[in-house]
Amino acid sequence: MTNLFEPNPVQANASYVDISAYNTMALACQAKQFIRLTQLSDIEPTFKQLAAHQQAFVVLSNGSNIILPEVLDAVVVSPSLKGKTILSEDTQTITLEVMAGEDWHTLVLDTVNQGWYGLENLALIPSWVGGSPVQNIGAYGVQAEDVIDSVKAFHIPSLTWHHLSKADCQFSYRDSLFKQQAGQWLITSVIFTLNKTAKPNTQYGDVAKVAQHYASQAGRDEVTPVDTMNAIIDIRQSKLPDTNDLPNCGSFFKNPIVAKSQVDQLLQSYPNLVHYPVKDAQGNLTDYCKVAAGWLIDQSGLKGKGIAPILTHVKQALVLTNHAPKVATQRDVAKSMQFIQETVLRKFGIKLEAEPVWIESDGSIRQAH
């Protein structure tokens, strides 16, 4: 564990640490200090020390879904815990415990290629494993909650350890207990239950078509989870920028859930409106629909636009990109975000909600509006 009062070697000045490289949006940010936790035994002493000094802090995973301030008057704590363990296995399923600091996409590749299925639709999402339950990350018809059995986490205010069931995690669309109580939990590991039986989910977008191409190349009629994963990787790479080449934090806006009556009205003017039915926990259709936020932004004439240097991606309007890495600030993001929201609201009457976590200069956390 890094000493609480030992500065990080990479500093912009004598007292603050440059952490612009620790957020995938590459926003300029100077933080008070940076602590990397690599052992479970480091966690409790670190937070006791922070509490004793009444020191504000921010728990930061790989920085893939956050918007950092230009100056962060808080200590940044990064839980870089590594390791994977098989907890149980039978002919149908396998249950794995994966530490929070493991790379998400590497986990997807490893499990699917070993014949353990469930994560294939979530390939190429930029995240560490510890971030997956917080956002309840999802893509192409699958959410993390579909395969999460439970989560192990440290509750910071009470300095206590918890093993939370799926129900305890309070998962919903892009939401969880950990997001609702941001700053109170440090996730140490996630337990996944995966299937050994192939059940490909190819219902979204072009996944079925591209996956079938992979199957045909292999001389098969039926699509496998590996085909599905490869298809999703291809599709994401064709549409989404690599954070190393063009900084971004993934999908910036949630797909809004609106009343079906509003969708029906919009379809009269926009028959190509991309939307999906919303089902309840029992699988029954509701009176709501999920509308594709990217389509709304695109049809508002905003693909590749915004307020420089923060612009929507030219191939996927749902993604905000930073064209001035390590120079652009949180204020730049706010200007572009608000411009996009106002434009879409005027055209469609739908208010887009931002997905990333917004961190204030004092270390407090809120959702971007």
Side-chain angles (χ1 to χ4, degrees):
M1 177 181 71
T2 303
N3 187 291
L4 177 58
F5 302 106
E6 177 184 317
N8 186 293
V10 181
Q11 296 187 56
N13 54 52
S15 58
Y16 275 60
V17 182
D18 181 0
I19 64 166
S20 56
Y22 290 92
N23 69 107
T24 63
M25 197 70 175
L27 296 175
C29 182
Q30 304 285 319
K32 205 164 190 178
Q33 290 199 294
F34 186 91
I35 299 174
R36 188 183 302 279
L37 301 176
T38 59
Q39 304 290 333
L40 286 172
S41 57
D42 292 340
I43 295 173
E44 191 169 341
T46 295
F47 285 104
K48 281 183 177 178
Q49 207 174 1
L50 288 168
H53 290 87
Q54 298 183 323
Q55 177 59 63
F57 63 87
V58 172
V59 177
L60 182 63
S61 185
N62 74 324
S64 63
N65 202 54
I66 58 166
I67 303 297
L68 293 173
E70 193 169 1
V71 176
L72 179 55
D73 288 315
V75 173
V76 174
V77 181
S78 179
S80 304
L81 306 162
K82 304 290 186 180
K84 306 183 191 78
T85 305
I86 296 175
L87 300 181
S88 63
E89 184 175 7
D90 56 32
T91 58
Q92 297 296 315
T93 64
I94 185 165
T95 300
L96 308 171
E97 180 175 8
V98 186
M99 302 305 289
E102 291 287 344
D103 177 71
W104 177 263
H105 181 58
T106 300
L107 174 67
V108 175
L109 292 174
D110 289 348
T111 54
V112 174
N113 287 326
Q114 290 188 74
W116 306 336
Y117 307 130
L119 300 180
E120 53 274 8
N121 289 51
L122 304 178
L124 219 62
I125 293 177
S127 178
W128 284 356
V129 167
S132 62
V134 178
Q135 295 297 133
N136 189 17
I137 59 174
Y140 299 98
V142 174
Q143 296 187 104
E145 66 175 297
D146 298 332
V147 288
I148 289 177
D149 172 86
S150 55
V151 173
K152 291 184 179 179
F154 183 74
H155 187 240
I156 298 167
S158 63
L159 299 175
T160 55
W161 295 90
H162 296 260
H163 188 170
L164 298 103
S165 68
K166 181 186 292 191
D168 293 334
C169 295
Q170 299 178 25
F171 290 124
S172 60
Y173 176 61
R174 299 296 186 270
D175 202 8
S176 68
L177 168 73
F178 313 109
K179 192 170 182 179
Q180 295 161 15
Q181 299 180 5
Q184 296 187 34
W185 296 90
L186 184 146
I187 292 173
T188 57
S189 64
V190 183
I191 292 89
F192 300 94
T193 296
L194 305 176
N195 292 311
K196 293 183 179 181
T197 304
K199 297 178 181 178
N201 182 341
T202 61
Q203 63 179 313
Y204 270 67
D206 296 331
V207 177
K209 178 181 176 181
V210 181
Q212 188 60 60
H213 174 71
Y214 271 100
S216 298
Q217 281 187 322
R220 289 181 278 97
D221 293 329
E222 293 188 2
V223 167
T224 69
V226 176
D227 297 327
T228 304
M229 178 183 72
N230 288 331
I232 286 169
I233 291 172
D234 281 358
I235 293 168
R236 290 183 71 93
Q237 287 179 331
S238 71
K239 294 181 178 180
L240 303 175
D242 187 321
T243 56
N244 295 316
D245 299 328
L246 184 56
N248 67 89
C249 57
S251 297
F252 193 89
F253 295 101
K254 297 179 182 180
N255 290 325
I257 295 175
V258 301
K260 187 177 181 298
S261 58
Q262 184 178 2
V263 170
D264 290 339
Q265 187 173 12
L266 284 169
L267 284 169
Q268 295 177 23
S269 301
Y270 306 99
N272 295 323
L273 173 68
V274 179
H275 63 287
Y276 306 94
V278 173
K279 297 180 180 180
D280 61 21
Q282 288 72 43
N284 301 312
L285 289 175
T286 68
D287 293 328
Y288 293 89
C289 290
K290 185 186 295 182
V291 178
W295 187 92
L296 296 173
I297 298 168
D298 189 359
Q299 296 301 307
S300 297
L302 295 176
K303 183 178 282 188
K305 298 180 181 179
I307 298 178
I310 307 298
L311 307 174
T312 64
H313 187 46
V314 293
K315 293 183 178 180
Q316 173 50 273
L318 195 57
V319 177
L320 293 192
T321 57
N322 179 5
H323 292 258
K326 301 185 180 181
V327 175
T329 67
Q330 188 183 74
R331 291 191 301 276
D332 293 315
V333 176
K335 290 177 185 177
S336 197
M337 174 186 73
Q338 290 164 7
F339 168 68
I340 293 165
Q341 288 173 320
E342 290 167 2
T343 304
V344 170
L345 182 62
R346 281 196 304 270
K347 187 173 181 68
F348 295 103
I350 295 176
K351 174 68 181 292
L352 294 180
E353 182 181 350
E355 188 170 327
V357 173
W358 201 274
I359 299 180
E360 305 287 8
S361 58
D362 62 358
S364 61
I365 299 171
R366 67 175 173 85
Q367 292 307 120
H369 297 302

